[in-house]
Each structure stands twice: as structure tokens, then as C-alpha cells.
Amino acid sequence: MSSVIEEKVKQLQGDVITWRRYLHQHAEISFQEYATSAYIENELKKMEGMTVSRPLPTGVIGVIEGAYPGKTIALRADIDALPMVEDNGLEFASVNTGAMHSCAHDGHAAMLLGVAKIFSEERAKMHGKLICIFQHAEELPPGGAVEMVEKGVMEGVDAIFGMHLSSNFPTGTFGVKSGVLTSATDGFTIKVFGKGGHSSMPEQCIDPVTTGAQIIMALQNIKSRFVAASETLVFSVCKVHCGDAYNIIPGEMVIEGSVRSFSKEIRERLPQWIEQIASGIAAANGATVECIYDYGYASVVNDPELTDEAREVLTKWFGKESILEIGLLMPGEDFSAFTELTGVPGCFVEIGTANDEKGTRVNHHNPKYIMDEDALYYGTAFFAGMVEKELEVY
Ligand code: NI
């Protein structure tokens, strides 16, 4: 027999799809989610017993107090779109040209609105407090999560849950992993300073081009020689800027790249390793360097106990076969700020949206991305199931 909460999740699917389509059609990019936040705020204000606040102009918080004392649980949905032109022929495609919900954050926000509605109606049975965080700017470092934490949204929170719809997994499945889940996403810049001059007389110059080329190649040694083969690490030089003419040795080269890592210890040593390689090679060539390391999002690390509780809830609702025990995910995710900066345990789950009959296996961040809206039921159920359990809504 299904619970009251399970019935409510089913009944709400029409509303969740309506919210999702509205948000999809009115997509706004990171740090510009003004209309999106106003819409969410307005929808939350229609719900009974909901305290709504705007800690930031582009983010919204909804709080529901249960009738009985208990834990404080936070649920997080990101709400921003990406700067790209939608090209999928959807009836409700973005009317804001150059902003597209191609990473399914419209779905995340809609599902959280659904869960907010359910527990605003069920608060008389609820033990504790539910905080619904509608977070801006997940797609653009430094990200909205860190700002939300700085505004104190995590004060008194005992556990936080998050999720991401994903076209990498079939609809009806949940990607679950204990411990480290996503990569830490950092960037670096290396400026190589030489001495410019005539291309025919390199002996009068210090060539930043050959020096920079050696640095680019040697950076790969960090992965192959400095860390254990069992570690996952990606080094990609993606931008090189140098020179203006074919016959002038330039004075300077600028190299930019990204690093994805999973181990905290390795991440802490990366700036030093880059500096060591770049300055060593520069010295060997008579050049000098300046190295800048930009820390991006930390890895999402799932608390083992909360992850077990998620497995338990998902097994109860959908059976063990709905759970996919997944590996490390290379994309970054600023959900990590809510746990990393506060010490509050968290659990982040992937919600499958791939359905071959509907052609929804398209990559995220692609202009042709479309979502299987049936997946919204499963995501809403995950959040609702966790709240039902943690806040003993029986
Ligand atoms: Ni995303």
C-alpha cells in the first residue's frame, strides 16, 4: 500500500510539468535569474504555512515548520539556464533568445516546488523543519551556492539533499554513489615571459613559444608521473595566446587550462606542481613565468549514512532494481559548497531521463537537449521520500 506522500507525488505531476514548462520558456542565465526567482517566490506564497525569503535577488528560500519538533532538512534545486540558443523545436522553447534550460535545472526547480507544496499541506504531521533552497548560478563559478551559504541558509540544518536529472541514465533509475561523486573543477593560467625579436635571429631573443610548448607537454607529467596511476585526474590546456605575425618572436605567451581532480590531497598540491614545472622549464630557457591557480567547485562528497538512507527510501518506493550504483562523475557541481563549507552531511543523487522512444538521450548543454518529463515523477519522489523519512511524516 502506498503512503499519503506517494499518492500526493503522483497527483502533483501535472503541476510539476506546468511549472517546469513555464520556467523552461522563461529561461535566465546564471546570476540573472530575476524573473525566475519572482515566479518561484509567487508560487511558494500560494502554499499554506510557507515562509518565503529572498536572501539574494536571484535566489529564493521557502521554509515549512512542522507541527512537532525534529530535524531540519534542506533540499536544494538550482534554477539557472545556459547562455545558448535553443534548437529543439519544443512548443515551450525559451522566449529569451540566448538563454536555454539545457541542463534540466528547470526540472529541478519544478520538482522542488512540488515537494514544497506536498509538505506545506502535510506540515501538521511533520516532525521538524523543511528548508527549500532555490539556488541561482550553478553554471557559472564562483557559483550561487557559496553565496547562499554566506547568507546563512544552512544554519541549523542537519542534512541536505540534492539531485540532478541526467540523460546518461534511463528514466526510472537513480544513480547513487557513496563518498566522492563529482570532480573538483579548477582552472589555471601560466604567463611565460621571454624577449621578442626577429624570427631569423633567435639567439638575440628568449622564445616564449618554444618554452610554452615545453610547459604544455610537461604538464601531462603531473598525471602520469606525480600521482598514483589509480588516481583520476584530467589536465587540459584549452587556450593559448601568443604572437601577432609569422616572422616576429613574441615577448609573451599566455596558457590557460582546466584541471579536474577528485582527491583533496592532490588538489591541494596542484598549484605547486604547476609552478614547479612551469618555472623549471622557463629557467632552463632563460624565461620567467607567472602562475595563477583558480579554485572552482569542490567535489560533491556523499555522506555514507545519508546515501544508505537514500538507497533504503528508493528501494521502498521503486525496488532495488531502480538503483544504479554509479562511478565518479566528471562534471562539477556547486552543491558541494553546502556541505564542504558547513560540515553538514549531504547526499546528491542522479535522476535518469534517458528514454530512447522519446529521443531524450541528448547530451546536456546541447542546443537540441530535450527532457523526458516522466522523470520528474521520480525526482519528486526521491525528495519527498527523503523528507517523509527524515521528518517522520507518517
Ligand atoms: Ni546542471
Side-chain angles (χ1 to χ4, degrees), residues 76 78 80 82 102-105 108 138-139 163-165 331-333 348 364-365:
R76 175 275 208 167
D78 43 13
D80 55 328
L82 283 143
S102 58
C103 200
H105 299 186
H108 303 165
E138 190 280 326
E139 297 285 359
M163 62 174 152
H164 208 301
L165 293 160
E333 168 56 76
F348 193 89
H364 289 232
H365 296 209

Side-chain angles (χ1 to χ4, degrees), residues 311-340:
R311 286 189 184 101
E312 197 183 303
V313 166
L314 293 171
T315 303
K316 186 180 138 226
W317 283 50
F318 299 107
K320 218 175 164 42
E321 60 284 0
S322 70
I323 299 174
L324 304 176
E325 296 292 340
I326 59 172
L328 296 170
L329 301 175
M330 291 317 294
E333 168 56 76
D334 80 341
F335 178 79
S336 55
F338 292 107
T339 57
E340 172 93 2

Side-chain angles (χ1 to χ4, degrees), residues 16-332:
V16 172
I17 289 171
T18 304
W19 285 318
R20 183 258 159 169
R21 291 188 177 188
Y22 181 90
L23 292 168
H24 190 90
Q25 196 161 13
H26 301 88
E28 291 174 305
I29 61 170
S30 311
F31 293 106
Q32 293 177 32
E33 308 90 334
Y34 299 101
T36 302
S37 292
Y39 177 78
I40 291 168
E41 179 180 19
N42 195 42
E43 291 305 307
L44 287 172
K45 280 184 172 163
K46 291 179 194 168
M47 299 172 195
E48 293 161 33
M50 181 73 65
T51 308
V52 188
S53 63
R54 293 276 289 272
L56 290 146
T58 50
V60 191
I61 306 286
V63 178
I64 307 159
E65 294 273 0
Y68 306 101
K71 287 189 247 184
T72 297
I73 296 297
L75 301 176
R76 175 275 208 167
D78 43 13
I79 63 172
D80 55 328
L82 283 143
M84 56 197 293
V85 177
E86 185 156 11
D87 181 25
N88 53 18
L90 283 181
E91 253 173 62
F92 51 93
S94 176
V95 293
N96 297 333
T97 309
M100 174 187 176
H101 271 294
S102 58
C103 200
H105 299 186
D106 49 345
H108 303 165
M111 291 187 284
L112 186 51
L113 279 171
V115 175
K117 182 147 196 271
I118 291 170
F119 293 100
S120 78
E121 291 167 3
E122 296 298 319
R123 66 190 190 285
K125 287 190 270 172
M126 203 165 91
H127 296 71
K129 185 156 101 173
L130 177 62
I131 303 180
C132 301
I133 302 173
F134 295 86
Q135 179 220 308
H136 58 303
E138 190 280 326
E139 297 285 359
L140 188 65
V146 62
E147 290 190 337
M148 284 283 193
V149 172
E150 282 165 2
K151 289 287 176 186
V153 304
M154 291 295 284
E155 270 161 34
V157 172
D158 295 300
I160 181 164
F161 296 92
M163 62 174 152
H164 208 301
L165 293 160
S166 170
S167 62
N168 289 325
F169 310 109
T171 300
T173 64
F174 302 87
V176 180
K177 184 181 183 301
S178 192
V180 179
L181 177 69
T182 63
S183 71
T185 60
D186 301 332
F188 63 88
T189 303
I190 302 169
K191 292 181 186 166
V192 183
F193 303 105
K195 188 178 150 204
H198 201 289
S199 63
S200 66
M201 291 173 283
E203 76 283 5
Q204 294 179 6
C205 306
I206 296 171
D207 188 355
V209 182
T210 51
T211 307
Q214 289 167 34
I215 291 171
I216 292 168
M217 296 311 293
L219 287 173
Q220 296 303 329
N221 284 359
I222 294 175
K223 158 85 173 136
S224 70
R225 302 290 91 175
F226 289 16
V227 305
S230 53
E231 292 289 347
T232 306
L233 180 67
V234 179
F235 245 92
S236 293
V237 170
C238 300
K239 190 173 165 188
V240 178
H241 203 91
C242 189
D244 292 304
Y246 87 103
N247 57 356
I248 303 169
I249 292 176
E252 195 181 318
M253 181 187 238
V254 181
I255 299 162
E256 288 178 60
S258 83
V259 200
R260 300 279 166 130
S261 61
F262 289 94
S263 146
K264 230 177 172 174
E265 294 70 39
I266 287 175
R267 190 182 187 211
E268 276 166 14
R269 297 193 66 184
L270 285 166
Q272 179 206 326
W273 285 335
I274 293 171
E275 174 85 39
Q276 183 181 322
I277 285 178
S279 61
I281 290 172
N285 288 284
T288 56
V289 287
E290 184 190 333
C291 301
I292 301 153
Y293 195 87
D294 289 315
Y295 283 101
Y297 300 160
S299 289
V300 169
V301 181
N302 281 337
D303 178 76
E305 268 178 45
L306 290 181
T307 310
D308 277 344
E309 287 174 24
R311 286 189 184 101
E312 197 183 303
V313 166
L314 293 171
T315 303
K316 186 180 138 226
W317 283 50
F318 299 107
K320 218 175 164 42
E321 60 284 0
S322 70
I323 299 174
L324 304 176
E325 296 292 340
I326 59 172
L328 296 170
L329 301 175
M330 291 317 294

